[in-house]
Each structure stands twice: as C-alpha cells, then as structure tokens.
Amino acid sequence: MAYGSITQRGDKYRVCFDYGVDRNGKRVCKYRTFDTKRDATRAFNEHKVKTDKGTQIMPSEYTFAQWLDYWYDNIIVPQIEETTAYGHQAP
C-alpha cells in the first residue's frame, strides 16, 4: 500500500499524502510543505497510522455535513462525558 512520500525542496520538505483512488479510478494525492524534516516525518507517520487503522478519510469522499457527523461521533464524543454528548444531540 502506498502512503505517499517526503521530498526535500530547497530548505523545506514536501509531503505527498496518498489517499488511494477515487470512484473514477483517479489517484488522489494532497501535498503539504513543512519547514523541518521532523515536522514532515511526523505528519507523514500520522497519515500512515490513520490509513492503517482505516480512519483516514479521502478528501473528496464526504460532504461537509457528513464530515461533521464523522468528526462529532469519532473525535468529540470519545472525549466528553456521556451526559454532555446526550445534551448536544439534535431533537
């Protein structure tokens, strides 16, 4: 499985995050530039872990509303008390 790559561009480091292929068979890659190799490596490793766990979301797969639901259910709810989560539910 390809995760992407890290390349040095002058005094900065560019990370290619590989998300796989979309519905049309086109490869989806996003690029980000970092000032230090350490920051680039850290971001790349986080991407690899999320990809291996299956929690990495392809950027164009979800609408904003779907992403908000994912964010609330998988990131916010595990960090708050059950009663707080219950209070935030829509009627």
Side-chain angles (χ1 to χ4, degrees), residues 8-15 32-41:
Q8 187 171 359
R9 313 266 300 172
D11 62 341
K12 305 227 185 240
Y13 294 87
R14 182 173 137 183
V15 179
R32 191 165 164 210
T33 303
F34 295 90
D35 292 329
T36 64
K37 185 174 183 177
R38 182 179 184 190
D39 291 339
T41 303

Side-chain angles (χ1 to χ4, degrees), residues 28-59:
V28 178
C29 294
K30 299 294 179 185
Y31 297 90
R32 191 165 164 210
T33 303
F34 295 90
D35 292 329
T36 64
K37 185 174 183 177
R38 182 179 184 190
D39 291 339
T41 303
R42 182 177 293 140
F44 182 71
N45 288 337
E46 287 175 9
H47 173 74
K48 283 173 50 175
V49 168
K50 287 180 181 179
T51 301
D52 288 342
K53 285 184 176 179
T55 59
Q56 187 65 273
I57 300 173
M58 190 173 293

